Amino acid sequence: MTSTPMAVQTRPFAVEPLTNVMLPDGIFDNALYKLRIACHFTNTSTTDLTNVTIYLESVGDPGIVVTGQTYTFATIPAGASVLVSWAADFRHASPGKPLVSFVARADGYTPARSIRQIFVSQTRYDATTDTYSIQIPEGRLDISKVTVIPPAKGGWWAGDKPDNDKRKPWPGPYVPTGLTMVWVPNPAYAGTHGELPFQDPWWKVLAVVVLVIAALVGIIAAAVGGGTFHPGIRGMFDETDPGVITECCTPAPGDPVTGGTTIAGVAGVVASVALVVALDDSADPHWRGQAATPPRPGELTTAERVEARWKLLEEPYAGKPYRVNVRWAYERITTGDTYRHEVEEEQTNIHVTEEVTVVTPDAVGLSDRLWARATFKRPDSTLFRGPDLYAFALFRAPQGLYFVVPLTDDGTGFDDHAADGTYTAGLYLQDVLPELKKAGQEPYGTWKVYVFAQDVNRVAPGIPPEIAAQTIGGFFVASAVQLTFDPNLPCPLDAQASIKVV
Amino acid sequence: MDTMTDQLRNVPVSRRDIIRISGGTAAAVGLGALATPAGASAGTGGAAGGGGAAGSGEPAVADGVGSAALSPGARTRLRSGGADLLIRDGSPHWWLSPDIWVVPGTDPNGTPGTPAAGDTAYVWARVQNTGRQDAFGVELRFYWGNPSVQMFYSTLNLIGTAYADIPAGDTQDVLCLVPWHVVTVNNGHECLVVVASAPGDPPLPDAVDPVGYPNVAQRNLTLASAGKQDFKLTLTVTAPRRESKWVRIGAQIGGELPRETLKTLDLTDSKPVEKPVVEVGFAEKPITDPKEGIGVPELELEVPAGRSVPVYLTIRGGADLGAGQYQLVEVLETQDKQTLGGISFAVVGEGRR
């Protein structure tokens, strides 16, 4: 027998389980204790595979404790990529690039093992210096002087604002408008360019990891309290960009955990990635600053500072090519001198979709299933397909209870065809009746469907770091929640579709 | 594996079932115990162990949330209990398990071999499911220990864990991805123990007992490079926590390793040399001057309860071993003619390693 033709072809990514959002570029961080190790497992053959079992075998860091679990698929079509994930505790994880092995077995084949690296960082906050630090093997990035556009006064609730006002509003979202990043390479290096973080993403990706973690920590704390993240992490920023406020959605009444945290998490990520947009995907300020300031022979670079301030020329809509005017100054500190380089330019979000289409049935009966089919078209008119996206939908019951449902393009379950660019989410009404009953809600009426999608970093292992770095995953290319700076606009949480249950 | 029959249920009962039912004391349990209700529950307990996120046939939900990170076509399996897991013992001694091997270097898929002190290495184990039920979520624990004869879990060091699914009657190679950083103490000559467990398995006694527990295996086998200089190693002889012991430490020279065991040492085509070409000696104190000899061929010593004492091993000779030859040296710890444990050396010519 030959090996099962299944493989994990790209780097597994981190999903925060309470909010369901993927962390920037899929990077894991031990400030968030509970994360899911997610990956797409691909049938690399031209034939369908039957009775497929998939499990995570081992992780190369004993500080990462995985909950063992086996997934079974009756059939995985040829070429299909199925999404699987495992709960893990990263509390004692070490910063690094540990290996993770997965095993797949299908009828008629011997088991096949896929071994992939994941990226793990460690973020902490020092209250005395008001500095976030993110530690990885190649060095440490200190982030300070963060300026943000704060949320609207009074905050926002996952549901109607309670009459008694005892509940606290969701924290954020904070839209960053500037920060100072100091990179301390380990070790100090000679020459023009130092090692890239994890030898893959740009330094700015570490900064956005910090901002997203800060956003998520605030949301997690508001939803379930402490104990699931490092207590040294803050979920808010002090320094703000006065004069502008961020209006975020005020979701309709709903379950505060399932729907509210997801929406808040999405908003936090959408807001935070304004930093990445401002600092250019093709080459970030550290790389460009290094290129512009070659040190003299014999000098070692001991630290690099980037001070960046930007102005959002448009609201940071996920998936839209919003523009940012940015000014940044790079400073290289070596054992012999200090070098400077400054840039002012306009940048545009390149993580965009031309069109998001969501199709649902007009009406279904109680014995039917709710379903939604979504397509995500790039500006060049090609569709995102299969493992290009990590996507999910929120189905909101008529009286507000949310259900988080995966959107997949794998030809299994509710999805008809693998990798055809149509992502499908489905929900059997009979399955959710107990939850609705428990919440005192009825299934009859109009259900709303909200669609979210993040792009996945699909750079294959072995690509040169400075090339691999130009691809960054974890951006929302489609989001039902949008941010606006105009409080007079209607609630920017837009349902892409609705279904009537009769 | 020897099997018996539970006459009330008319199903085969393995030695492992008896161990499980008895809570780990196989020798003390008679067949009569199987007629009790407790016996009927053998192999079904502990289904939730380690599988907190699993659901019975439904997509997984971690900590009550997070169900989106999963294809809707996926179904989950609980960890299954009651599997008959086997990691084979070695031949002629149990501590020569051919089902444990080491891959030195940074590529876990590399060639098996013997790591040197300071190396990084990966440990593999081969597990069989000899039962009639598929085993899901089998947990494997990989340990290393200092060179010793009888081994105790309380003195071992955990390398890491791994999981495996093994259909009934099937065999699965399992990789522990936590790198084993081979310490420089003992010049890299370490012992390995692997335990495969399913929910419902009995707790293990402190003494490593591969013979009594088919799901436990031990590899106390190392390459020894012989030549002009003596091969020296400090062995540890340990007594149980609450029981002192009188033991003899001796050696047997000659014999043959199975081909599959040789393969794990990267000695696949090597031939054994039966006629002793090396001398083996033991001492209670280090021998620093070769002129002082190599110690005695057999050492008798008392080890107080809960204590470990060092025994200094010297292997001399072997310079005449040619390329492709090895001599097997087996160091045995015995008590009242019963073998408690051992460690084996494949002595090869200088430079072979």
Side-chain angles (χ1 to χ4, degrees), chain B residues 70-301:
Chain B
L70 187 65
S71 281
R75 293 294 177 264
T76 58
R77 292 291 300 259
L78 289 166
R79 287 188 71 192
S80 51
D84 285 314
L85 303 173
L86 170 66
I87 311 175
R88 290 176 301 164
D89 291 337
S91 172
H93 299 294
W94 71 78
W95 58 84
L96 297 173
S97 174
D99 286 346
I100 302 172
W101 66 97
V102 179
V103 173
T106 55
D107 177 9
N109 290 314
T111 307
T114 302
D119 273 359
T120 288
Y122 291 94
V123 186
W124 290 75
R126 181 169 294 146
V127 190
Q128 295 178 34
N129 179 358
T130 60
R132 297 186 306 168
Q133 295 179 2
D134 296 345
F136 288 89
V138 172
E139 183 187 67
L140 279 87
R141 296 174 70 82
F142 296 76
Y143 301 89
W144 70 269
N146 289 322
S148 52
V149 268
Q150 188 182 21
M151 303 187 77
F152 295 87
Y153 291 104
S154 54
T155 62
L156 295 179
N157 305 284
L158 181 68
I159 300 170
T161 57
Y163 293 92
D165 293 346
I166 314 167
D170 218 336
T171 299
Q172 176 68 43
D173 292 349
V174 184
L175 164 64
C176 175
L177 262 183
V178 178
W180 174 31
H181 300 292
V182 185
V183 296
T184 51
V185 182
N186 308 313
N187 204 24
H189 298 283
E190 309 295 357
C191 302
L192 295 168
V193 172
V194 180
V195 179
S197 60
D201 277 357
L204 297 170
D206 191 32
V208 176
D209 182 11
V211 176
Y213 294 81
N215 56 323
V216 176
Q218 183 178 337
R219 180 187 169 90
N220 282 12
L221 172 63
T222 189
L223 269 186
S225 188
K228 293 172 186 171
Q229 290 192 333
D230 293 340
F231 172 85
K232 290 184 174 294
L233 192 63
T234 305
L235 304 177
T236 304
V237 184
T238 304
R241 286 181 184 275
R242 295 170 58 82
E243 188 181 357
S244 62
K245 67 180 183 182
W246 272 97
V247 293
R248 288 175 186 272
I249 307 296
Q252 294 176 352
I253 302 173
E256 186 174 357
L257 289 169
R259 184 176 170 82
E260 61 181 329
T261 305
L262 286 172
K263 189 178 175 184
T264 65
L265 291 170
D266 201 15
L267 294 176
T268 307
D269 298 321
S270 294
K271 304 294 181 193
V273 174
E274 278 298 328
K275 182 184 173 186
V277 297
V278 298
E279 296 176 272
V280 180
F282 303 95
E284 292 187 68
K285 292 185 177 176
I287 300 171
T288 54
D289 184 354
K291 293 175 185 171
E292 292 177 8
I294 60 171
V296 297
E298 186 174 82
L299 195 64
E300 190 171 3
L301 69 162

Side-chain angles (χ1 to χ4, degrees), chain A residues 15-20 34 36 38 53-62 65-74 81-87 99-101 103 105 111 113 115-116 257-258 261 390-392 404-408 410 412-415 424 426 431, chain B residues 48-55 58-79 106-109 122 124-125 135-140 142 158-167 170-179:
Chain A
V15 172
E16 199 290 309
L18 200 67
T19 57
N20 287 298
K34 294 182 188 300
R36 292 189 78 84
T53 60
I54 295 173
Y55 64 89
L56 189 154
E57 181 186 52
S58 187
V59 181
D61 178 355
V65 181
V66 178
T67 301
Q69 189 166 357
T70 298
Y71 294 111
T72 63
F73 292 83
S81 296
V82 294
L83 177 66
V84 282
S85 70
W86 287 266
L99 296 171
V100 183
S101 61
V103 175
R105 178 200 297 253
R113 177 177 291 100
I115 300 178
R116 287 282 171 260
V257 173
T258 312
T261 49
Y390 163 67
F392 56 90
V404 184
V405 184
L407 264 169
T408 56
D410 58 10
T412 72
F414 298 100
D415 190 56
T424 310
D431 289 345
Chain B
E58 294 302 320
V61 176
D63 303 313
V65 289
S67 60
L70 187 65
S71 281
R75 293 294 177 264
T76 58
R77 292 291 300 259
L78 289 166
R79 287 188 71 192
T106 55
D107 177 9
N109 290 314
Y122 291 94
W124 290 75
F136 288 89
V138 172
E139 183 187 67
L140 279 87
F142 296 76
L158 181 68
I159 300 170
T161 57
Y163 293 92
D165 293 346
I166 314 167
D170 218 336
T171 299
Q172 176 68 43
D173 292 349
V174 184
L175 164 64
C176 175
L177 262 183
V178 178

Side-chain angles (χ1 to χ4, degrees), chain A residues 141-147 177-183 239 275 278-279 284-286 289 304-310 325-333 339-345:
Chain A
L141 188 72
D142 294 334
I143 295 167
S144 59
K145 298 179 182 169
V146 180
T147 53
T177 57
L179 79 175
T180 298
M181 301 182 283
V182 177
W183 172 248
E239 295 193 36
L275 177 154
L279 300 183
D284 86 346
H286 277 90
E304 298 161 79
R305 181 198 313 272
V306 170
E307 292 212 27
R309 304 289 158 199
W310 58 88
N325 187 277
V326 60
R327 173 186 289 183
W328 54 261
Y330 168 87
E331 190 174 74
R332 181 200 291 267
I333 298 114
Y339 305 83
R340 290 185 180 83
H341 177 65
E342 291 188 19
V343 167
E344 183 171 359
E345 62 191 5

Side-chain angles (χ1 to χ4, degrees), chain A residues 325-402:
Chain A
N325 187 277
V326 60
R327 173 186 289 183
W328 54 261
Y330 168 87
E331 190 174 74
R332 181 200 291 267
I333 298 114
T334 74
T335 48
D337 209 342
T338 298
Y339 305 83
R340 290 185 180 83
H341 177 65
E342 291 188 19
V343 167
E344 183 171 359
E345 62 191 5
E346 188 174 295
Q347 290 289 343
T348 304
N349 181 22
I350 61 169
H351 299 262
V352 296
T353 42
E354 179 71 26
E355 185 183 19
V356 177
T357 308
V358 180
V359 176
T360 58
D362 292 333
V364 299
L366 200 56
S367 59
D368 296 330
R369 62 188 170 94
L370 301 173
W371 56 264
R373 295 196 183 105
T375 56
F376 307 89
K377 190 185 288 182
R378 295 186 181 91
D380 64 1
S381 294
T382 61
L383 293 174
F384 286 93
R385 295 173 191 274
D388 290 340
L389 295 177
Y390 163 67
F392 56 90
L394 287 178
F395 284 80
R396 180 184 164 275
Q399 291 166 281
L401 196 62
Y402 285 96

